[in-house]
Amino acid sequence: MALADTFTRPTSLAPRRASETYGGMPRIDGAGMRALVEWVDEIAALTTPDRIHWVDGSRAENDALLREMVDEGKLIKLNPEWRPGSYLARSHPSDVARTEARTFIASEREEDAGPTNNWAAPEDIRATITPLFAGSMRGRTMYVVPFSMGAVGGPLSHIGVQITDSAYAVTSIGIMTRVGTDVLREIAGGAPWVRTVHSVGAPLEPGQADVAWPCNDEKYIVHFPDTLEVWSFGSGYGGNAILAKKCFALRIASVIGRDEGWLAEHMLLIRVIDPKGKRYHVAAAFPSACGKTNLAMLRPTIPGWRVETLGDDIAWLRPGPDGRMWAINPEAGFFGVAPGTGESTNVAAVETLWGNTIFTNVALRPDGDVWWEGLTDTPPAELTDWEGNPWTPASGRPAAHPNSRFTVAASQCPQIAEDWDAAEGVPLDAILFGGRRATNVPLVLEATDWTHGVFLGSNISSERTAAAEGTVGELRRDPFAMLPFCGYNMADYFGHWLKVGQALRFDRAPRIFQVNWFRKGADGRFLWPGFGDNARVIDWIVRRLDGTVDAVPSAIGRLPRTEDLNLDGIDVPREDLAELFAIDTASWLREADLTEEFYRTFDGRVPAPLWAELAALRYRLQRA
Ligand code: GTP
Ligand code: SPV
Ligand code: MN
């Protein structure tokens, strides 16, 4: 079936009313549905697409979209012998990552966005972007994509609709969320939904040929938290284009969570099963490209332990009536970093990618399969790099872009939990905070209580990665790994964490830990083997939860006794182990100064209990 058969082509170029002019619109009645159609009409009148396509999420529709993109040169079909149902997209070299400098929170009041966000007055930014969207879909199809984050109708779920002129975005959203007509039934029945509008900003004049990756030099990713809207212009890449992900499930959802008493977090979610079969649920917040997908798919190197994957990037956390913290992964797929994903590091991810995967900006092998740095130890002798140029190992540049990614259904992960999409979620036992720190931060430490844990989360800092524009390697503060994703004032968000903690029963609240897989020796090498061996840290954490192992108090938190870490079968030199847990008082006092400096940027909004934690930290350090 050709895509053209799935909707009615218009007779005129400028559609008047979506509801009148086009087929493909499901006949579902209800006040909510009428409001949706009105909105679609409004956006169509503004963006003047040639066609409107209501996405039903079916297999046939998806196949047709993929085939059309191959025909248009927007996707390369990979060799089905190696990678069935899989495609390679090459983005424009200027559109390869989230653009934080172009991302705005347009709350009514500037102080509600806070100093860590780019704020714009809603009327001002509307006045700026509306002319950009005017006619921006000319010559293109406008897709209407209803989606649910979390199981449709679930108690922790939320729904939205994305309008987009990118078929690549549609197929990606189809993998990353639950798309379909059942969402429209929820909307028709009056369920609240988030409005998201996306245009690559590349209208086509009649007869003008399209390019492989349409985008615009001018980019705007704008969130209106007060009206639950997202408007994204100019980019086709990742979180800039899959608006359900960072824009909705983190920035907008964090605001909904603030108002409703729950948390939208940049966290992976796993079930750890110990050798006795006891199950624990762990969520972990690490900044972008700092190991969430890897930990989410952990294959423990210690015998008897198992990890089941529940989510790899976003978790929604809500205190339950039982006083425990319940968590879901609102997504349905993985949009994971390709480089560094290989047989020796994340075999579960490699297995997940056996087929039905959209790769973006990885290298192409002569046999029609894909490759990226770290997939195998030895690179193939020749490749086509992510920009389409010939490449050999002597080329002296990476073949895949450092932020190249795969988009694949969660259900394909060989160790996905059977109940990963259960509507009610799982009860959390532990929360981990981490980052990429070459110095100072130990392999693992435990918070003394919830407030201390929130203090640790508020102080996460990490060396920059390629997941966003900026200088790779530079240290930046990334509280709760949410710096680019918190939709409101970060100091209020700290306060919200403290408040949510009070809704938990003190003996049932998840315990909080800080981890760092990335500490380096003076010679620049990682001190900890990482990856599957991170299970050894999880093992200690689980024994702390069970109360079967003691921890040693230190100025910065509770540390393991090194003899309590299970190091059977690996060779971590004694000096490295000491270095992994070394606390340098002078550097920690400097970190405390940086914390003070950071807290001061919030004009008195940082909650007093966190200031008290800082004072206590300094006191303990000075006494040490
Ligand atoms: P986003 O999708 O951007 O949010 O990233 P993520 O947090 O899911 O990061 P991911 O798991 O994809 O890891 C990114 C990079 O970190 C890859 O290059 C990995 O190889 C590397 N990495 C992950 N875990 C470890 C570890 O335990 N040790 C070391 N040294 N590197 C790791
Ligand atoms: C991240 O940068 O944290 C990602 C990729 O997970 S994106 O969806 O592009 O934000
Ligand atoms: Mn992420």
Side-chain angles (χ1 to χ4, degrees):
M1 181 173 49
L3 183 62
D5 298 336
T6 66
F7 58 89
T8 313
R9 276 183 193 277
T11 45
S12 77
L13 273 184
R16 202 163 39 91
R17 288 181 64 83
S19 43
E20 287 168 5
T21 320
Y22 300 100
M25 193 182 85
R27 278 176 224 298
I28 298 172
D29 210 20
M33 189 68 191
R34 286 192 289 279
L36 167 60
V37 171
E38 224 167 85
W39 177 69
V40 170
D41 281 342
E42 206 179 287
I43 305 300
L46 173 66
T47 59
T48 63
D50 277 13
R51 296 168 288 278
I52 296 175
H53 176 100
W54 288 74
V55 172
D56 63 15
S58 68
R59 179 74 193 263
E61 175 186 68
N62 187 56
D63 289 352
L65 281 170
L66 290 165
R67 202 169 319 126
E68 192 170 274
M69 281 190 280
V70 171
D71 290 345
E72 292 173 346
K74 292 180 173 159
L75 290 180
I76 296 169
K77 189 170 170 55
L78 300 176
N79 186 340
E81 209 176 312
W82 311 120
R83 214 59 76 163
S86 300
Y87 300 84
L88 168 63
R90 290 189 186 130
S91 80
H92 191 273
S94 67
D95 193 22
V96 293
R98 282 182 296 101
T99 44
E100 292 176 8
R102 308 301 308 155
T103 300
F104 299 87
I105 303 295
S107 48
E108 287 295 335
R109 298 184 312 176
E110 181 167 8
E111 73 230 53
D112 285 336
T116 59
N117 281 312
N118 301 314
W119 177 76
E123 313 76 57
D124 291 354
I125 196 119
R126 274 191 210 279
T128 308
I129 62 174
T130 305
L132 295 175
F133 279 94
S136 74
M137 299 191 184
R138 207 161 57 238
R140 299 191 181 278
T141 302
M142 174 174 125
Y143 301 93
V144 182
V145 194
F147 62 86
S148 180
M149 302 307 283
V152 179
L156 286 82
S157 304
H158 284 269
I159 54 181
V161 178
Q162 178 165 340
I163 284 178
T164 179
D165 55 8
S166 159
Y168 167 86
V170 174
T171 51
S172 304
I173 302 163
I175 295 171
M176 297 304 298
T177 76
R178 294 137 174 104
V179 171
T181 308
D182 44 352
V183 176
L184 294 181
R185 276 186 209 103
E186 294 274 308
I187 290 175
W193 52 283
V194 174
R195 291 155 161 76
T196 72
V197 186
H198 170 242
S199 174
V200 294
L204 291 169
E205 300 313 324
Q208 184 185 344
D210 203 0
V211 293
W213 185 276
C215 62
N216 194 303
D217 284 345
E218 199 165 2
K219 294 177 175 50
Y220 279 95
I221 323 295
V222 188
H223 306 72
F224 297 93
D226 301 293
T227 49
L228 306 184
E229 279 172 84
V230 181
W231 289 71
S232 170
F233 180 87
S235 168
Y237 203 88
N240 290 346
I242 308 168
L243 303 187
K245 197 171 173 55
K246 297 306 179 17
C247 298
F248 175 177
L250 289 178
R251 298 193 191 98
I252 296 289
S254 63
V255 175
I256 301 175
R258 175 196 65 190
D259 298 342
E260 293 181 356
W262 53 279
L263 297 162
E265 297 299 324
H266 193 201
M267 288 179 175
L268 67 94
L269 189 59
I270 52 177
R271 171 178 297 139
V272 177
I273 305 168
D274 78 5
K276 295 192 289 290
K278 192 163 173 203
R279 295 146 48 116
Y280 304 83
H281 295 106
V282 178
F286 307 156
S288 301
C290 288
K292 285 184 302 300
T293 303
N294 276 269
L295 186 60
M297 299 183 191
L298 185 79
R299 288 269 166 100
T301 53
I302 39 178
W305 289 78
R306 278 196 303 129
V307 165
E308 291 179 354
T309 309
L310 291 151
D312 86 322
D313 196 54
I314 298 177
W316 285 352
L317 278 45
R318 190 194 283 263
D322 56 357
R324 306 185 72 174
M325 183 82 101
W326 289 78
I328 61 163
N329 162 22
E331 302 191 276
F334 308 126
F335 180 63
V337 181
T341 304
E343 299 284 347
S344 56
T345 55
N346 190 351
V347 65
V350 173
E351 288 171 8
T352 304
L353 306 177
W354 63 267
N356 307 323
T357 304
I358 299 175
F359 297 92
T360 306
N361 289 346
V362 301
L364 182 65
R365 293 166 51 112
D367 64 1
D369 198 5
V370 283
W371 190 84
W372 51 80
E373 278 69 24
L375 176 61
T376 54
D377 291 340
T378 347
E382 50 174 320
L383 290 167
T384 306
D385 74 8
W386 68 275
E387 292 187 271
N389 300 315
W391 183 95
T392 72
S395 295
R397 60 174 197 275
H401 186 276
N403 191 41
S404 56
R405 298 216 171 218
F406 51 79
T407 312
V408 67
S411 58
Q412 280 194 198
C413 177
Q415 64 195 61
I416 194 84
E418 193 195 358
D419 56 342
W420 73 275
D421 58 352
E424 71 281 8
V426 296
L428 274 190
D429 298 295
I431 293 173
L432 278 45
F433 293 121
R436 197 178 271 270
R437 290 296 306 266
T439 58
N440 272 13
V441 178
L443 178 63
V444 57
L445 71 83
E446 184 189 342
T448 44
D449 57 22
W450 185 268
T451 307
H452 183 230
V454 173
F455 177 71
L456 293 178
S458 78
N459 276 305
I460 296 293
S461 38
S462 193
E463 289 135 26
R464 268 181 190 277
T465 66
E469 294 182 334
T471 313
V472 171
E474 179 187 83
L475 191 70
R476 77 158 174 181
R477 290 201 160 255
D478 192 348
F480 293 82
M482 283 287 279
L483 181 76
F485 307 123
C486 185
Y488 61 103
N489 189 306
M490 187 61 91
D492 297 352
Y493 165 88
F494 298 163
H496 186 56
W497 260 85
L498 293 172
K499 199 169 129 204
V500 169
Q502 285 162 8
L504 301 167
R505 235 179 71 170
F506 81 96
D507 58 336
R508 290 187 174 171
R511 298 252 289 272
I512 300 179
F513 297 81
Q514 180 169 21
V515 297
N516 177 25
W517 318 141
F518 299 93
R519 195 147 170 176
K520 289 181 175 173
D523 52 1
R525 110 204 108 79
F526 288 118
L527 293 165
W528 179 248
F531 303 103
D533 287 317
N534 293 335
R536 298 165 191 278
V537 173
I538 304 279
D539 168 356
W540 182 77
I541 288 171
V542 159
R543 282 182 289 141
R544 284 296 298 157
L545 297 176
D546 275 350
T548 55
V549 71
D550 283 333
V552 193
S554 82
I556 59 174
R558 295 171 178 157
L559 298 173
R561 296 182 304 210
T562 44
E563 64 268 28
D564 287 330
L565 285 174
N566 178 351
L567 301 176
D568 294 346
I570 51 166
D571 181 30
V572 181
R574 191 191 298 273
E575 316 78 70
D576 284 9
L577 207 54
E579 185 61 26
L580 274 167
F581 290 100
I583 301 169
D584 181 77
T585 305
S587 333
W588 270 99
L589 282 167
R590 277 197 299 277
E591 296 241 351
D593 291 344
L594 292 176
T595 298
E596 175 173 345
E597 204 178 289
F598 177 58
Y599 280 7
R600 287 205 184 285
T601 61
F602 293 98
D603 284 337
R605 271 171 108 115
V606 169
L610 298 186
W611 281 109
E613 286 293 333
L614 177 61
L617 171 68
R618 281 175 160 155
Y619 172 77
R620 292 191 303 263
L621 284 166
Q622 275 150 358
R623 218 183 39 170

